[in-house]
Amino acid sequence: MHRHEWDATDAAGPVPDSGPARPEGHRLVPLATVLVQGDGLILHWSEDAEALLGYTADQAVGSYAAQLLTDRSDRADVLAIFQRILSGTDTSFVFPVRHRDGHKVELEFRTYPIAGPSGTLLLLATASDTRAVHAIEADLAVLDGIFGRSPIGMAVYDTDLRYVRINEALARMNGVPVAAHLGRRISAVLPGINGAEIEQTMRQVLKTGKPVVDARSHGRVPGDPKRDRAWSASYFRLEDSTGRVFGVCSSIIDVTERFQAEARAARAQERLATIAEATARIGTTLDLQRTAEELIEAVVPRFADFATVDLLEPVLRGAEPTPILADRTVTLRAVAVGENYDTGLAHAVDVVGETSEYAPDRSYTQCLRSGRPLLRAHVDEEVLRGLVSSEDRVAPGMAAGIHSYLMVPITARGMVLGGSEFIRMRNPEPFNDADVALAEELVARTALALDNARLYRRERETALTLQRSLLPQEIHRTLGLEIAYRYLPSSVVSEVGGDWFDVVPLSCGRVALVVGDVMGHGIRAAATMGQLRTVARTLATLDLPPEQVLTRLDETASGIGEGQFATCICALYDPLERTIQVASAGHLPPVWVGTDGTARRIEVPPGVPLGVGGVAFESIGFTLPEGAMLALYTDGLVERRGQDLDHGIDLLTRTLAGPGRTLEESCDAVISALVTDGTEDDIAMIMARALPVPADRIATLPLTGGGKLPGQARRFTRATLEAWGLNALSDYAELLVSELVTNALLHAEAPRRLRLFRDRVLTVEVSDAGGQTPQLRPFAEQDEGGRGMFLVSELAQRWGSRLTRDGKVVWAELELPFGAS
């Protein structure tokens, strides 16, 4: 007994040795086989016969077919048909047969008379249900209609991925006849498409049984060899109900237009992404070179294999670029260069920092003059010769494989700042109009940032020049005090600050140390700093104490303008007394370092910033022993983002602690410890160390004895100057001393002390207990007195007075002879 299976693939013609391809879920048609003797006795009854009619083989074999399968009313017809079969005149017919349960089953019979043992006539009959046959025929007709008439390309492949069947629609897509496909693989029929990728997909479907939908393929086919096309394919595995695999079936549609639209959309999306990324990347700093580098980073390798940014020389200086005249050469400096790989263009372009000159007739120059992009989609040797600045750059450019070129002028506010070049070599696509639009957008954003950087550079250079001019150009040597200082402009903030310091030499060897910080940045802050520094210096020279200097300085700051505030600290040191007075206007506390290396803050009454107005300032006094040091500074030294201000002051104090360093070494140590990543603000710092005053620089005479004092003072002065080798000044000095001592005798309670001090000048000072400062008063010819201070004013280089806690000091200065010190 056996079963014959008939399905849609039987009508499809011959199939490979691997067997016919069957769609999943195909239906089987039972084919009953029966063997009967010439008298109608059933000898064999197949399983399909049992399936069709319900009788088992045991029930059927040995029975007569007419009795078992037909009604009595049909037997005459059955016997007539049987006789015709035996005679060989009727071998195929349709007849209703009785099922075991009594209903009729219409079967289609085919009969084959055969000779049995000993020449006995036997009849082999096969039968199938006509309804099942008609259903299969209908399925086949539908399948053939779909396969043959569908506009969708369809194909069946065996397990070796060879074409078994293909419809006309797919053959037309491929431009290859149906017959030329059969028995061959995709890679052989269509070598111009991504056949290996397609076959890998079909192998995966064969292996897993999982269908693949919308698998994309692309390339060129024999039917359209000059145009790229794209297809969308779906694949599913062919197998029978037992799971036996026969191959793969595919349905394919041409999606070239959609593919191109998607490609255009993808390119547009990529351009938008490039613009968005460039917007976030370009212009993050106000540095010309860094901004140019940001453009290069945004376009390489996404947009170009090689790119450059060149700027006109005036732009790099912060100046306004001049118009490019038709008869003038153009000089540009390479600011940024970038490449996707080692392109070999080193000999065809300028390295960063080098300049090139372009003649008026060069394409580059004409492009800059017009302000419009220059596109050379396809570059050959002749085209490249017109682009480069010199002939020797043509050969390296061609050797590097340049095939497409785009140059976009960098323009801002109607001015040409330079040019940016984009070059493709490995990227096979030539630049097109969409690329030009993208490049213009990127370069326009860069141009704005570059122009801002140019303007910033100009303003910063102006402000720095102003700031430097307002700071001390020279720190004069001061007897009894060693001074070191540091000034660091901001390296991060986009504008200069208003920090300042000053060392003001005063009478009698005294010196004023001033450190201040104007709030804010820019030229206005620098200008305010200059005004305050000038006023502070002037006030200090008036022999005012520190608190009064700050009071007058506060009035000046209030008068400058609304919102102009500054902090300031003023220290007045007397090297002869080794005393120092300090007053603060909202400034950070100074740091004191003792002779043993211990360091601590000096708590000064803080005061309010200059410009607030209406608040009195206080000062404190203390001794600065020989070898001790005092450090004044601005907040840029100790203030850091995210850190407490006290943390910076403590670090400064710890850094300064310890003996054995010079002031210069201490300054360097502080900068190294506190300024590690640049400065967010300006830094001003002064360090001062007390030194011994040599004995041959100072001479003191206590003034006691009444009316004999002027004579004693004159003799003391002559003897002292003779010892100092200043005999040339003796006459003038004696006269000054005589007048000052006499004036003290006449107008003050009594002179107390005469002191001679030799530094840059010779200073004569007389202290007394009086509280009224001397004044120059007009006098008539007949007046017997009133000429003393007038005479002092005429003889001295300068003179003045200052109040002390127990009276006043009147002093006068004489220039030292040339060569004396």
Side-chain angles (χ1 to χ4, degrees):
M1 295 182 289
H2 65 279
R3 172 177 294 179
H4 175 73
E5 298 174 3
W6 184 24
D7 63 18
T9 58
D10 290 328
V15 294
D17 294 340
S18 60
R22 292 176 171 82
E24 184 178 352
H26 71 282
R27 68 181 62 170
L28 301 177
V29 180
L31 185 65
T33 58
V34 180
L35 182 64
V36 297
Q37 294 181 160
D39 59 358
L41 184 67
I42 298 173
L43 301 177
H44 168 75
W45 187 266
S46 69
E47 291 182 0
D48 281 350
E50 179 180 346
L52 278 175
L53 299 175
Y55 297 100
T56 64
D58 291 339
Q59 294 171 333
V61 174
S63 302
Y64 287 95
Q67 295 177 357
L68 182 67
L69 302 175
T70 62
D71 294 334
R72 187 178 299 274
S73 59
D74 295 328
R75 288 179 185 171
D77 295 333
V78 171
L79 292 175
I81 292 172
F82 192 66
Q83 290 302 320
R84 291 197 298 273
I85 292 173
L86 292 177
S87 65
T89 60
D90 197 354
T91 60
S92 178
F93 58 93
V94 176
F95 193 84
V97 178
R98 185 178 64 197
H99 192 275
R100 183 185 176 189
D101 62 8
H103 75 277
K104 295 291 183 70
V105 179
E106 191 172 77
L107 300 180
E108 180 177 348
F109 287 91
R110 292 184 183 273
T111 58
Y112 310 92
I114 60 175
S118 304
T120 307
L121 179 63
L122 300 177
L123 185 64
L124 177 63
T126 61
S128 58
D129 191 335
T130 57
R131 290 176 301 174
V133 172
H134 293 161
I136 290 295
E137 290 174 344
D139 288 349
L140 288 174
V142 171
L143 180 60
D144 287 339
I146 294 175
F147 210 84
R149 299 179 184 177
S150 172
I152 297 175
M154 302 181 70
V156 176
Y157 314 84
D158 62 20
T159 53
D160 290 328
L161 306 183
R162 295 181 299 233
Y163 283 102
V164 173
R165 187 172 181 181
I166 179 174
N167 68 350
E168 286 291 342
L170 184 54
R172 286 192 300 271
M173 286 186 198
N174 296 340
V176 178
V178 171
H181 288 78
L182 300 180
R184 302 171 67 194
R185 291 170 58 165
I186 290 177
S187 55
V189 177
L190 305 172
I193 70 173
N194 56 329
E197 183 180 343
I198 297 171
E199 291 179 352
Q200 179 60 33
T201 300
M202 291 196 291
R203 288 191 187 95
Q204 191 68 18
V205 172
L206 278 174
K207 179 180 179 180
T208 64
K210 295 181 179 178
V212 172
V213 179
D214 196 23
R216 296 298 178 91
S217 56
H218 53 85
R220 299 184 179 185
V221 296
D224 193 3
K226 295 184 179 181
R227 189 166 66 129
D228 289 326
R229 303 197 68 84
W231 303 271
S232 172
S234 297
Y235 302 95
F236 60 91
R237 189 168 71 182
L238 295 175
E239 58 185 81
D240 64 14
S241 59
T242 64
R244 186 165 54 136
V245 177
F246 296 102
V248 177
C249 184
S250 68
S251 60
I252 302 169
I253 58 175
D254 190 318
V255 293
T256 300
E257 292 184 2
R258 187 173 76 183
F259 178 79
Q260 292 173 343
E262 290 175 350
R264 288 192 296 270
R267 287 193 294 269
Q269 184 67 28
E270 184 176 358
R271 287 194 292 270
L272 290 174
T274 301
I275 292 174
E277 181 180 333
T279 300
R281 171 177 289 180
I282 296 173
T284 59
T285 69
L286 285 170
D287 181 82
L288 280 168
Q289 181 165 347
R290 181 57 196 147
T291 301
E293 290 171 350
E294 288 168 344
L295 172 61
I296 299 298
E297 293 168 0
V299 299
V300 176
R302 174 180 284 182
F303 181 74
D305 294 317
F306 191 92
T308 68
V309 174
D310 299 84
L311 297 178
L312 297 170
E313 282 291 325
V315 175
L316 296 172
R317 298 193 301 268
E320 295 283 337
T322 57
I324 300 174
L325 303 178
D327 58 344
R328 299 290 180 86
T329 60
V330 176
T331 302
L332 296 107
R333 185 177 299 274
V335 179
V337 177
E339 56 187 359
N340 184 24
Y341 58 95
D342 187 6
T343 61
L345 283 179
H347 301 293
V349 300
D350 295 320
V351 298
V352 173
E354 289 186 351
T355 60
S356 286
E357 288 190 355
Y358 290 87
D361 59 342
R362 309 300 292 179
S363 299
Y364 195 105
T365 309
Q366 295 172 359
C367 177
L368 289 180
R369 191 180 302 119
S370 69
R372 295 189 295 271
L374 173 64
L375 172 63
R376 294 292 183 263
H378 302 284
V379 174
D380 56 21
E381 186 173 340
E382 186 63 28
V383 171
L384 187 58
R385 185 171 287 108
L387 297 173
V388 295
S389 59
S390 59
E391 179 69 24
D392 61 349
R393 296 186 173 186
V394 175
M398 296 307 299
I402 296 176
H403 72 85
S404 194
Y405 173 91
L406 173 62
M407 185 273 192
V408 179
I410 302 173
T411 60
R413 298 187 297 115
M415 300 180 300
V416 176
L417 308 180
S420 184
E421 296 174 293
F422 309 96
I423 297 172
R424 285 181 179 174
M425 291 166 289
R426 285 186 180 175
N427 186 336
E429 295 294 327
F431 289 113
N432 54 34
D433 291 341
D435 294 324
V436 173
L438 174 59
E440 285 186 297
E441 178 68 22
L442 296 178
V443 171
R445 294 170 186 264
T446 306
L448 181 60
L450 287 172
D451 195 47
N452 288 338
R454 178 187 68 83
L455 295 173
Y456 158 72
R457 174 173 292 189
R458 183 176 67 183
E459 180 178 348
R460 180 174 175 82
E461 288 298 328
T462 301
L464 284 174
T465 301
L466 173 63
Q467 188 182 50
R468 293 189 191 103
S469 68
L470 296 175
L471 290 172
Q473 305 302 305
E474 180 183 2
I475 301 298
H476 295 285
R477 178 179 58 83
T478 300
L479 195 64
L481 194 67
E482 179 188 4
I483 294 175
Y485 62 92
R486 293 291 185 273
Y487 182 82
L488 278 71
S490 168
S491 61
V492 176
V493 179
S494 60
E495 297 176 320
V496 297
D499 293 19
W500 90 90
F501 69 95
D502 207 350
V503 179
V504 186
L506 303 175
S507 62
C508 309
R510 296 174 309 125
V511 62
L513 306 177
V514 183
V515 173
D517 181 5
V518 177
M519 299 179 186
H521 299 88
I523 292 180
R524 185 182 184 192
T528 300
M529 174 269 286
Q531 296 178 68
L532 293 179
R533 174 181 172 269
T534 301
V535 173
R537 188 177 186 89
T538 302
L539 292 172
T541 58
L542 295 177
D543 284 328
L544 296 175
E547 66 273 16
Q548 292 187 26
V549 170
L550 294 183
T551 299
R552 302 286 182 85
L553 203 57
D554 178 50
E555 296 172 357
T556 301
S558 299
I560 289 176
E562 184 179 353
Q564 290 295 286
F565 301 102
T567 64
C568 184
I569 189 167
C570 180
L572 181 60
Y573 177 66
D574 187 337
L576 305 180
E577 304 293 341
R578 298 200 186 285
T579 59
I580 190 166
Q581 283 183 287
V582 182
S584 173
H587 204 81
L588 299 175
V591 175
W592 180 89
V593 182
T595 55
D596 59 354
T598 58
R600 61 182 176 85
R601 305 184 196 183
I602 298 295
E603 298 300 333
V604 180
V608 297
L610 303 176
V612 174
V615 180
F617 296 96
E618 301 178 35
S619 65
I620 63 168
F622 54 90
T623 300
L624 192 65
E626 181 180 322
M629 183 181 72
L630 189 70
L632 309 178
Y633 53 92
T634 57
D635 58 2
L637 180 65
V638 295
E639 187 175 33
R640 292 295 178 270
R641 192 182 304 275
Q643 292 184 358
D644 187 75
L645 191 61
D646 287 335
H647 173 80
I649 298 176
D650 291 342
L651 178 58
L652 171 63
T653 304
R654 291 195 301 271
T655 304
L656 289 175
R661 283 197 300 244
T662 66
L663 283 189
E664 292 295 331
E665 290 172 344
S666 295
C667 286
D668 291 340
V670 167
I671 296 300
S672 297
L674 278 78
V675 186
T676 56
D677 299 317
T679 61
E680 296 182 1
D681 198 358
D682 292 355
I683 293 175
M685 175 176 63
I686 297 178
M687 293 187 187
R689 174 174 286 155
L691 299 176
V693 178
D696 61 350
R697 297 280 181 167
I698 185 171
T700 303
L701 174 68
L703 296 175
T704 58
K708 299 179 180 180
L709 290 180
Q712 295 177 11
R714 287 193 297 272
R715 288 189 294 273
F716 174 80
T717 300
R718 179 171 290 276
T720 301
L721 294 183
E722 182 178 354
W724 288 352
L726 298 176
N727 293 330
L729 297 180
S730 294
D731 293 341
Y732 293 103
E734 286 184 48
L735 187 53
L736 285 175
V737 167
S738 179
E739 292 297 330
L740 292 177
V741 172
T742 301
N743 192 67
L745 287 170
L746 295 175
H747 301 290
E749 295 181 4
R752 293 180 174 178
R753 180 183 63 196
L754 166 64
R755 186 157 62 184
L756 303 179
F757 184 73
R758 177 168 62 95
D759 189 8
R760 294 183 302 275
V761 295
L762 175 65
T763 302
V764 177
E765 68 171 37
V766 175
S767 59
D768 59 51
Q772 185 177 2
T773 59
Q775 303 289 330
L776 289 177
R777 292 178 294 185
F779 59 90
E781 291 183 5
Q782 65 273 18
D783 291 341
E784 296 182 358
R787 294 177 174 83
M789 293 312 300
F790 180 80
L791 183 61
V792 170
S793 178
E794 290 296 319
L795 293 175
Q797 178 185 359
R798 65 174 186 146
W799 72 278
S801 65
R802 68 179 185 275
L803 297 177
T804 63
R805 287 190 176 91
D806 53 1
K808 69 176 182 294
V809 171
V810 183
W811 54 268
E813 293 178 351
L814 289 173
E815 283 190 11
L816 296 177
F818 181 77
S821 61

